[in-house]
Amino acid sequence: MFDTLSLEASLHICKNMRATDLACLQAVMGDISVESFAIDRYQTHGAAWAFYQDGVPVVMAGITSSVPWLGVAWMVSTDAVSADSWKKIIRFSRNVFRNASRKYQRIDAYVLETWPQAKRYAEKVGFKQVNVRERVGREGQNVLDFAIIGAIE
């Protein structure tokens, strides 16, 4: 089940996030606490939602927007997500990004180059790689820039 992201769900997911999600967070944001990050995501300027599996929040995602025409996609997951749930999340995400691309001229997503699963997810939901940001991670990691280029109405 999908629902608007609550602070409680955000805190639960962040406290139980996958090691790969935590490593990515630390690579691009430094030593931010998971509680601070959870609050930041809950208070994001833009849409944010949670996916519940068996009544427990296991994924949160959204589109942050600092200006009305650009968005930045984000996602955090726990290890508890089943393969069937991932299928639902991918379908839902495709719809969200397709609809959001009507509003935004561009939606960006950033993926650590060393995280092939995140790259595959971005591609499955409609993003295309547009750039490599070399050595922007805390330890010199490259970050892949993905984007969905939307229509201007």
Side-chain angles (χ1 to χ4, degrees):
M1 171 182 99
F2 294 91
D3 200 359
T4 302
L5 182 63
S6 68
L7 179 57
E8 179 182 8
S10 185
L11 285 165
H12 176 80
I13 293 164
C14 285
K15 288 179 181 178
N16 295 284
M17 75 173 74
R18 300 176 294 187
T20 49
D21 291 62
L22 182 58
C24 180
L25 178 66
Q26 291 171 336
V28 298
M29 296 185 79
D31 291 326
I32 186 171
S33 75
V34 294
E35 291 85 2
S36 295
F37 182 71
I39 292 167
D40 178 71
R41 294 296 82 195
Y42 168 69
Q43 294 176 335
T44 190
H45 291 89
W49 56 91
F51 177 77
Y52 291 77
Q53 181 179 279
D54 300 323
V56 178
V58 293
V59 172
M60 64 182 191
I63 302 172
T64 298
S65 182
S66 58
V67 294
W69 57 91
L70 298 176
V72 177
W74 57 271
M75 174 186 271
V76 177
S77 176
T78 70
D79 284 317
V81 184
S82 70
D84 285 340
S85 290
W86 274 118
K87 290 175 187 175
K88 293 174 187 174
I89 292 163
I90 289 168
R91 277 194 309 271
F92 181 81
S93 298
R94 283 180 185 144
N95 287 332
V96 166
F97 294 124
R98 184 173 30 257
N99 291 333
S101 70
R102 294 181 189 139
K103 173 184 175 184
Y104 296 111
Q105 294 178 42
R106 180 181 173 119
I107 304 168
D108 289 317
Y110 305 110
V111 174
L112 283 179
E113 187 175 52
T114 56
W115 194 1
Q117 297 89 343
K119 180 180 177 185
R120 279 195 304 275
Y121 171 80
E123 292 169 341
K124 281 184 178 185
V125 300
F127 285 87
K128 305 280 188 245
Q129 186 177 337
V130 295
N131 193 23
V132 176
R133 299 179 70 208
E134 295 179 0
R135 301 188 51 81
V136 298
R138 178 172 72 174
E139 296 174 2
Q141 301 96 322
N142 292 344
V143 172
L144 306 177
D145 280 346
F146 284 81
I148 294 174
I149 308 300
I152 298 176
E153 296 184 15

